[in-house]
Amino acid sequence: MSDRIVGVLLALFAGWYSWEARSYAVDFGDPMGPALFPEILAPPVGLLGLYLVLRPDPDPEWSTGRYLLSQLATVVALVAYALLLQPLGFILATLVMVACLTAMLGARLPQALLGGVVSSLGFFALFDWFLGIPLPPGLAFGG
Amino acid sequence: MDILFSLAHGFAVATQPVNLLVAFIGCFVGTVIGALPGIGPVNGIAILIPLAFSLDLSPVSALILLTSVYYGSMFGGRIASILLNIPGDSSAVVTCIDGFPMAKQGRAADALAISAISSFVGGTLATVGLTVLAPTLAMAAIHFGPREYFALYVMAIVIVGGIATGNPAKTLAAGLLGLAIGTVGIDPATGIPRFTFGAYELYEGIDFVIVAIGLFAISEFLIYIEQRRTGPIEQVPVGRRTTALRQLTYPATSLRASLLGFVIGVLPGAGATLASFMGYALEKRVSDKDGTFGKGDPRGVAAPEAADNAAAGGSLVPMLTLGVPGSGTTAIMLGMLVTLNVQPGPLLFQQQPDIVWGLVAALYVSNVILLILNIPLVGLFAKLLTVPSHYLMPGVVTVSFLGVYSVNQNSFDLLLMVGFGVFGYLLRKLSIPLVPVVLGIILGTPMEQSLRRAMAASGGDIWTLVESPLALLLHAITACVILVAILREAGRRRNAAAVERGA
């Protein structure tokens, strides 16, 4: 079933991709225009999609329950980290993110916090001070 | 004579203090990346690329850094195989077969030394091969036109993507998706923005670094969550060597496996992992007279290690001489060079000999550094394996974010990386390979460029692509590979159906 869904998505993607590419024709009949390459790519993608719909592989074991929840929580944590890195600054944001992930992987809370503190300060020292790659200082250093 | 002269010049570049330092750091970091299960060479190198950019390394230093990491990871992979029976990366899987039994018998230190020595032999012989073969191949490739290049790119996408393993339809779809992602951004030839949805962040295209780190490193974390091992892992202590170093070299074994590994490495599509499997299989056929393989035979440790290091060296040959990568790791190196405005290929040997020969010389140096690092200091790397992964994995995620952030300093890229992480996770679950996607993104631009040049020269006739005999030959080879893959897949399905009926 999973493969059939992938196949349908691929076929739809191919259709959209080719349709979108056609709108890039600079001049009618320009053989080397920006539409050519995408238009060459689209048909095989569509055909492979149809093939997967007709001949799918057996389904993989999708994760469920606790594992699926942890994965969703991880994605939420990573998205939050991506958004908060600049406003909160590297040290604070990293501390929270690493502590959350570590706790989720099974460490106890004090251990997780320790992991967060060590990683955030350690990486800040290594990258910002030692290697000279500027990281967002944010709140922790008074902005 | 020419080669020796060039090589001497290369050594002058490689022994500059900054390059020696970079090689040393690369070897160290590479060994760590190889040793730790969960970070393979591809994603380790992807994470390091943005750091190489932000440190403003010159192209030659950046390339030395990445190849030292690559060679180092081939050395490091065996440590976890031998001590934990868990391969540090996929090319070290076979090393478990005889390495772990040796460790159980109290010969862990011997096994580590054997594998370090044979890795050194494999790596050095491959570098010799590279020194001799690369300039010759570059001379031949100088006559390639856009049609031949187009054919080579098609071949790379099809073969390197690993069509030989798994479902060929999925591999091809992955490569095509990569090429499609590569078309996002302003078309370099006409200045028209394509597939950008009006988002100006996408005008410059999607940086392959973001895609590679997302696909490999972030998805690895998601996979790790569901495969989490419960309970502590038992590590065999390193202990002391029971045999003199001199007796731990297996010259015949290393030589055989190195030759095989180098050839496999040069050929597109088959990387270090396949080389280590074949190296082991060959050695078993030649030497396993008393049935000792699988029970801790030292030759079973030496062979795959020599082969995978030799393959790593071999895979640099097509990348440097043709600009067409022979593996996922070299594809990422190619992407980095292009970003630094260095176009690998036959002209590189004439126009920028410093880069080519500096790199080749640095590889000799790196091998020596790795041998030194890996014999006395192996205990240090073994200690690293005891760091619990709930500290390690979030650390890897942090470095991934750092790397991507340092490219453009915006959160759009970070979100894009997380998005590709989820995408990569789904692809892995569906057994759709990731390497072709990255390869497609990296090769998309030059592929489209060669297509345009070929068609411009013929006035827009698409048949020109197959009118050169060499291009036709390359396309024929690609077609044969696809055909074989389809037949094999059909056979696999028939077998699966037969099993189902029988049961």
Side-chain angles (χ1 to χ4, degrees):
Chain A
M1 196 57 212
S2 302
D3 273 10
R4 289 187 206 268
I5 298 173
V6 173
V8 171
L9 290 177
L10 276 178
L12 287 176
F13 169 76
W16 168 80
Y17 187 75
S18 160
W19 178 75
E20 176 77 16
R22 229 159 274 171
S23 69
Y24 300 140
V26 211
D27 188 7
F28 187 72
D30 176 9
M32 278 90 73
L36 174 71
F37 190 59
E39 283 195 76
I40 293 180
L41 295 180
V45 175
L47 289 176
L48 289 168
L50 291 181
Y51 171 81
L52 283 180
V53 172
L54 297 173
R55 289 288 186 84
D57 284 340
D59 270 359
E61 266 184 50
W62 293 104
S63 55
T64 48
R66 202 158 62 83
Y67 295 111
L68 183 63
L69 269 181
S70 314
Q71 284 168 331
L72 290 175
T74 302
V75 174
V76 171
L78 295 182
V79 168
Y81 182 56
L83 293 172
L84 293 176
L85 185 62
Q86 272 170 325
L88 287 187
F90 177 80
I91 294 184
L92 195 56
T94 305
L95 195 161
V96 176
M97 189 271 296
V98 170
C100 287
L101 293 187
T102 309
M104 210 180 53
L105 292 176
R108 269 186 243 104
L109 196 61
Q111 285 177 326
L113 281 175
L114 183 72
V117 171
V118 171
S119 318
S120 63
L121 291 179
F123 283 125
F124 193 83
L126 177 64
F127 288 96
D128 196 298
W129 296 344
F130 184 67
L131 294 177
I133 297 170
L135 297 175
L139 300 175
F141 281 79
Chain B
M1 213 44 229
D2 254 6
I3 291 180
L4 286 182
F5 184 74
S6 309
L7 195 58
H9 178 69
F11 271 103
V13 176
T15 49
Q16 286 163 7
V18 60
N19 291 337
L20 280 178
L21 180 70
V22 159
F24 178 81
I25 294 172
C27 289
F28 187 87
V29 173
T31 309
V32 172
I33 287 174
L36 297 174
I39 330 175
V42 190
N43 82 42
I45 286 176
I47 294 174
L48 287 176
I49 286 181
L51 301 177
F53 288 157
S54 15
L55 291 175
D56 269 334
L57 292 179
S58 68
V60 65
S61 306
L63 195 56
I64 290 174
L65 176 71
L66 296 194
T67 42
S68 314
V69 171
Y70 188 27
Y71 270 38
S73 69
M74 293 290 141
F75 268 76
R78 75 215 207 284
I79 299 175
S81 298
I82 291 170
L83 297 179
L84 301 176
N85 203 20
I86 299 169
D89 54 49
S90 61
S91 62
V93 172
V94 212
T95 311
C96 294
I97 304 176
D98 279 285
F100 189 63
M102 272 188 85
K104 282 264 170 182
Q105 293 155 17
R107 298 187 64 199
D110 289 0
L112 289 168
I114 290 167
S115 55
I117 293 168
S118 56
S119 292
F120 171 77
V121 173
T124 303
L125 285 178
T127 311
V128 174
L130 173 71
T131 316
V132 178
L133 188 60
T136 322
L137 200 59
M139 295 261 256
I142 216 132
H143 303 293
F144 282 20
R147 290 181 294 201
E148 286 79 14
Y149 269 105
F150 183 77
L152 271 177
Y153 290 132
V154 174
M155 191 182 203
I157 301 270
V158 170
I159 302 183
V160 180
I163 199 164
T165 56
N167 184 342
K170 289 183 171 176
T171 309
L172 285 178
L176 290 164
L177 271 184
L179 289 173
I181 297 172
T183 58
V184 173
I186 291 185
D187 171 30
T190 57
I192 293 179
R194 296 189 288 187
F195 310 104
T196 55
F197 311 100
Y200 72 90
E201 286 97 339
L202 290 175
Y203 274 31
E204 283 191 15
I206 298 176
D207 199 318
F208 78 97
V209 171
I210 298 170
V211 183
I213 295 180
L215 284 181
F216 293 110
I218 303 294
S219 78
E220 182 69 38
F221 190 84
L222 294 172
I223 292 270
Y224 170 79
I225 290 175
E226 64 184 53
Q227 293 177 341
R228 203 167 5 166
R229 268 178 280 272
T230 42
I233 304 165
E234 190 192 343
Q235 183 179 342
V236 181
V238 176
R240 289 178 171 280
R241 271 197 299 275
T242 58
T243 322
L245 265 188
R246 204 156 20 86
Q247 289 167 346
L248 293 174
T249 54
Y250 290 84
T253 303
S254 302
L255 201 65
R256 269 195 292 273
S258 302
L259 280 176
L260 180 71
F262 180 71
V263 173
I264 293 176
V266 173
L267 297 176
T273 306
L274 183 68
S276 63
F277 274 92
M278 297 200 35
Y280 184 82
L282 173 77
E283 191 57 30
K284 192 172 170 181
R285 186 166 301 170
V286 174
S287 314
D288 190 15
K289 299 199 171 68
D290 310 321
T292 47
F293 273 59
K295 294 171 194 144
D297 192 304
R299 289 166 301 184
V301 176
E305 285 304 317
D308 76 349
N309 281 270
S315 70
L316 292 172
V317 173
M319 195 271 277
L320 286 174
T321 55
L322 302 173
V324 179
S327 68
T329 317
T330 46
I332 291 185
M333 289 183 193
L334 176 74
M336 179 203 69
L337 285 176
V338 173
T339 314
L340 291 170
N341 281 323
V342 176
Q343 182 61 56
L347 292 175
L348 189 67
F349 283 73
Q350 296 174 357
Q351 292 166 351
Q352 289 173 301
D354 275 15
I355 294 185
V356 179
W357 293 105
L359 171 68
V360 172
L363 291 176
Y364 287 102
V365 176
S366 297
N367 264 306
V368 176
I369 296 176
L370 281 165
L371 186 66
I372 298 169
L373 271 181
N374 273 278
I375 290 199
L377 292 183
V378 74
L380 178 73
F381 294 112
K383 272 263 163 32
L384 269 175
L385 292 176
T386 59
V387 176
S389 37
H390 57 247
Y391 292 130
L392 216 55
M393 298 298 286
V396 174
V397 170
T398 312
V399 180
S400 308
F401 271 82
L402 269 172
V404 168
Y405 182 78
S406 67
V407 178
N408 287 323
Q409 278 98 28
N410 64 23
S411 19
F412 181 84
D413 287 356
L414 296 176
L415 291 172
L416 202 59
M417 173 188 76
V418 176
F420 274 107
V422 175
F423 183 59
Y425 168 78
L426 294 174
L427 293 185
R428 283 167 86 159
K429 289 297 281 187
L430 294 160
S431 12
I432 298 175
L434 302 179
V435 169
V437 181
V438 175
L439 207 59
I441 293 171
I442 291 168
L443 295 185
T445 309
M447 192 169 167
E448 183 170 15
Q449 210 171 32
S450 57
L451 174 71
R452 275 183 165 139
R453 281 195 193 137
M455 291 194 43
S458 75
D461 176 18
I462 197 142
W463 293 106
T464 181
L465 291 176
V466 289
E467 273 164 5
S468 112
L470 185 57
L472 192 61
L473 176 71
L474 293 170
H475 283 304
I477 295 174
T478 310
C480 285
V481 171
I482 296 180
L483 196 68
V484 169
I486 291 174
L487 290 176
R488 212 174 36 89
E489 171 72 7
R492 191 178 64 90
R493 280 179 186 280
R494 254 199 314 280
N495 284 342
V499 168
E500 225 162 78
R501 269 196 306 279

